[in-house]
Amino acid sequence: MSKPSTVLAVDAGTVRIGLAISDETGTFAFPLEVIPAKNAIARIKALCEERTVTQVIVGLPLTMKGDIGPEAARVEKFIRKLQRALQPLPVTAVDERLSSLVADRILESGKGHPKRDAVAAAVILESYLKTINDK
C-alpha cells in the first residue's frame, strides 16, 4: 500500500465535528477546525477540494470490547453519506477508542474546550499515520 499524501480526519460527534489534517507527506497531524454537525458534509467536501486531500478517515467509536454500539452505528451511517458525497475519494473508518480522553489530557480540560473535537481528530489521525508509515 502506498503512503497517502494529505489525509483529513473526522471526529463525528452528534453536535460538533472535529477535523484534523496531515501535512502533505502524510507524516504529521494538525487540528484543523470544529464545525457544526448540521451540513458538515458540504464543509468537509469543500475542505477536501481546497486542501487537495487524498484520503479521509473517520473515527469509529467502538465499545471498549471492540463491538459496534449505538454511537458507532450512527457514525457508520454518517460514513456512508460521506462516501457518497466524496467519491471517488477514499473514506475509511478507523478505531477511535479513547481519542477524546487523550484530547482532554492534551488540552488539560474537559468536554467544554472549544478545540477538543479537532484535537481528538488529530489524535485519531496521528495514530492512523503512525500505523501506515510504520509499514
Side-chain angles (χ1 to χ4, degrees), residues 1-4 25-28 125-135:
M1 170 164 63
S2 65
K3 294 179 184 177
T25 66
T27 305
F28 301 103
L125 181 54
E126 189 173 272
S127 175
Y128 173 78
L129 293 174
K130 182 173 178 3
T131 300
I132 62 165
N133 287 327
D134 286 349
K135 289 184 178 181

Side-chain angles (χ1 to χ4, degrees), residues 4 13 20 25 47 53-54 57 61 66 70 75 90-91 97 103 105 111 113-115 120 131:
T25 66
L47 274 171
V53 170
T54 57
I57 63 165
V75 172
V91 178
R97 284 179 277 182
R105 289 192 176 154
K111 293 182 180 182
H113 195 285
K115 293 184 180 178
T131 300

Side-chain angles (χ1 to χ4, degrees), residues 102-119:
V102 172
D104 289 341
R105 289 192 176 154
I106 290 169
L107 294 168
E108 297 180 352
S109 71
K111 293 182 180 182
H113 195 285
K115 293 184 180 178
R116 176 184 185 249
D117 298 309
V119 172

Side-chain angles (χ1 to χ4, degrees), residues 12 20 29 31 33 40 45 56 109 114:
E33 65 184 81
K45 186 173 183 174
V56 176
S109 71

